[in-house]
């Protein structure tokens, strides 16, 4: 009988999935916080503000988290997720403007 070493790649995959979920949750939270304050915002401005907040590590006034790099693709995928869930909507006459 020969014992095989434990498969560590399965643990690594679970950790990566968990990290991606946390990142997505932080991005979605940032998007909704920014839109709650602004009420409506051009999508380009929203992406810029979210990526800036990620680099600074600021979730809002007095709330901080570890800063991380996020790309515009990450932010846009979270925007699409929030659109599908109904938390955010586009203006009919100006679809590039999002509102909370």
């Amino acid at each position: 009988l020969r014992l095989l070493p434990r498969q560590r790649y399965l643990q690594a995959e679970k950790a990566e999935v968990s990290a991606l979920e946390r990142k997505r949750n932080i991005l979605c939270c940032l998007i909704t916080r920014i839109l709650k304050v602004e009420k409506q915002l051009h999508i380009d401005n929203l992406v810029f503000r979210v990526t800036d907040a990620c680099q600074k590590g600021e979730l809002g006034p007095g709330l901080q988290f570890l800063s991380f790099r996020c790309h515009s693709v990450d932010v846009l995928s979270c925007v699409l997720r929030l659109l599908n869930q109904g938390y955010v909507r586009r203006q009919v006459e100006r679809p590039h403007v999002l509102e909370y």
Side-chain angles (χ1 to χ4, degrees), residues 19-100:
L20 287 174
E21 286 178 3
R22 277 185 298 219
K23 183 177 178 180
R24 183 186 69 202
N25 290 339
I26 290 171
L27 289 176
C28 287
C29 185
L30 279 169
I31 292 167
T32 54
R33 280 184 177 263
I34 290 169
L35 284 176
K36 276 183 180 180
V37 172
E38 297 295 327
K39 304 299 184 216
Q40 63 181 14
L41 200 60
H42 191 282
I43 195 163
D44 292 339
N45 292 336
L46 179 63
V47 170
F48 173 76
R49 290 183 64 179
V50 171
T51 54
D52 187 50
C54 287
Q55 290 173 355
K56 291 179 180 176
E58 297 176 348
L59 194 59
L63 299 173
Q64 292 191 347
F65 62 94
L66 294 174
S67 64
F68 60 90
R69 287 194 58 123
C70 68
H71 300 283
S72 59
V73 175
D74 300 329
V75 178
L76 291 172
S77 69
C78 288
V79 167
L80 288 175
R81 180 181 174 86
L82 292 171
L83 281 167
N84 288 334
Q85 291 175 340
Y87 291 110
V88 175
R89 64 178 177 259
R90 293 175 185 235
Q91 289 185 351
V92 177
E93 62 279 355
R94 299 184 308 173
H96 51 279
V97 175
L98 300 173
E99 55 188 27
Y100 181 76

